[in-house]
Amino acid sequence: MQDIVTVDIGGTNARFAIAKVDQGRVVELGEATTLRTADHASLALAWEAFGRTINRELPRYAGIAIACPIQGETLKMTNNPWIIQPAMLAERLHLEDFTLVNDFGAVGHAVAQIDDQYLEHLCGPDRPLPAEGTTTIVGPGTGLGAACLLRRKGQYFVIETEGGHIDFAPLDEFEDKILRALRRRFRRVSAERIVSGPGLTNLYEIIAEMQGLPITMRDNKALWEMAMEGRDSMAAAALERFFLSLGAVAGDLALAHRAQGVVIAGGLGLRVADKLPHSGFAERFVAKGRFESMMGDMPVKIITHPQPGLFGAAAAFASDHPEL
């Protein structure tokens, strides 16, 4: 059994914890420490601050999830001042070995290794995710993340994708109007323009324009609060459209992956978990014409683990180093 540092680096915060891994699996995840990236000039300085916070020498192994594509000599993130050079990490963090993974790839590893108790049933047959075959993972948050988990003969493989950037596909006349309105704002309208945190603002403003009503909320956070509480009729209408589109996109990706199960993740996935079962999500998820029967036989879950990014970064390291 080996102690490692596990890290989940986003635009605003970086989360750290100590995890224990053994023979390719995460066996324990310690308490998370959250540090604001703006308060630390670099990952190395935040790393040292974490060590001081928990008052111990840090392990020389790490799993690190970063909210950007893991490619090239330099990794840069939107809304995060840190510059990360993978070739220099071992020296600067005093590591013997480490694994770098995209933040949504980390969620894929988390889905592969967490207990079933953290996978709450949403719709479809109430049975576990497939032990063999493909699971699609979709996560609305600041953007729309997508990954594919493939299980074969006791092993698993996480495939990171840019599935959130597929074209938005309207399914009724109202969504035709939404697409036309968004085309005036964006050269290309992807699913992420609707199924994401900022997407709710896009929907709200377009619905207001269609109804000839004034836009009374400009702040995205306040809009989400009003929509979730049902205190504003236009915000509530935008949220229902969000749920419909999330169901449609999740179903499209599951078809593309030939999945046998789906997991909803992301920062917004857990936030809307109580409302999704009572929305139009399930109806849109299965509405795939000749494949409706197949879609209706697919279990759909929501990941409820409090720190899927941290758990997943540790799981990615453990999967890469089964000898430890």
Side-chain angles (χ1 to χ4, degrees):
M1 188 177 299
Q2 177 67 53
D3 282 3
I4 71 167
V5 180
T6 181
V7 192
D8 181 17
I9 304 171
T12 303
N13 296 312
R15 296 174 175 84
F16 295 78
I18 302 297
K20 293 182 183 296
V21 301
D22 187 34
Q23 297 181 357
R25 309 286 297 186
V26 179
V27 295
E28 184 180 319
L29 178 65
E31 183 178 352
T33 296
T34 301
L35 301 177
R36 284 178 50 82
T37 55
D39 295 338
H40 304 276
S42 68
L43 171 57
L45 290 172
W47 186 278
E48 293 170 5
F50 170 58
R52 292 192 298 271
T53 298
I54 64 173
N55 193 28
R56 64 165 284 185
E57 183 178 347
L58 296 181
R60 298 179 66 83
Y61 299 94
I64 304 172
I66 306 177
C68 68
I70 307 299
Q71 59 186 29
E73 296 180 357
T74 302
L75 307 182
K76 296 181 180 180
M77 292 168 285
T78 305
N79 301 321
N80 186 324
W82 295 352
I83 302 298
I84 297 174
Q85 297 172 301
M88 302 296 293
L89 278 180
E91 178 184 346
R92 291 176 177 172
L93 304 182
H94 309 293
L95 296 171
E96 290 185 25
D97 208 347
F98 64 92
T99 291
L100 278 180
V101 63
N102 168 266
D103 60 333
F104 214 75
V107 175
H109 282 277
V111 170
Q113 292 204 21
I114 58 172
D115 293 334
D116 284 348
Q117 64 175 315
Y118 294 115
L119 293 168
E120 182 178 307
H121 177 68
L122 174 57
C123 63
D126 189 0
R127 62 172 184 255
L129 295 173
E132 289 280 320
T134 305
T135 296
T136 291
I137 306 164
V138 185
T142 304
L144 179 61
C148 184
L149 171 63
L150 174 64
R151 297 180 188 270
R152 281 285 185 269
K153 299 179 180 178
Q155 294 183 297
Y156 77 83
F157 308 89
V158 175
I159 304 163
E160 300 168 11
T161 82
E162 295 298 337
H165 296 283
I166 60 174
D167 290 329
F168 171 61
L171 292 175
D172 58 29
E173 291 185 4
F174 195 81
E175 288 179 356
D176 288 337
K177 295 177 182 178
I178 291 173
L179 178 60
R180 285 196 295 271
L182 285 174
R183 278 182 178 152
R184 294 195 294 269
R185 302 184 183 192
F186 309 109
R187 186 169 64 88
R188 174 179 175 269
V189 182
S190 67
E192 186 178 76
R193 297 297 189 186
I194 291 92
V195 187
S196 65
L200 188 71
T201 294
N202 289 333
L203 288 168
Y204 169 80
E205 291 177 354
I206 290 166
I207 290 171
E209 179 184 317
M210 290 178 181
Q211 299 295 317
L213 297 172
I215 296 170
T216 58
M217 282 179 285
R218 298 287 183 179
D219 180 74
N220 186 254
K221 182 179 179 182
L223 176 63
W224 270 97
E225 291 174 356
M226 293 288 282
M228 292 291 289
E229 294 169 8
R231 291 189 286 120
D232 180 275
S233 57
M234 282 200 302
L239 184 61
E240 181 52 35
R241 281 288 158 181
F242 173 92
F243 290 146
L244 290 171
S245 293
L246 176 57
V249 171
D252 285 345
L253 290 172
L255 274 179
H257 296 160
R258 186 56 179 93
Q260 289 85 47
V262 172
V263 174
I264 304 299
L268 290 173
L270 186 56
R271 184 175 181 182
V272 301
D274 291 341
K275 292 187 176 294
L276 268 181
H278 312 291
S279 72
F281 173 93
E283 181 181 352
R284 277 291 185 88
F285 179 81
V286 301
K288 302 301 175 188
R290 289 167 291 173
F291 291 92
E292 189 165 314
S293 176
M294 183 185 80
M295 300 301 293
D297 192 44
M298 195 178 300
V300 182
K301 313 285 186 181
I302 298 177
I303 186 170
T304 60
H305 193 283
Q307 296 290 348
L310 281 176
F311 190 101
F317 176 89
S319 178
D320 282 350
H321 301 83
E323 74 281 0
L324 294 178

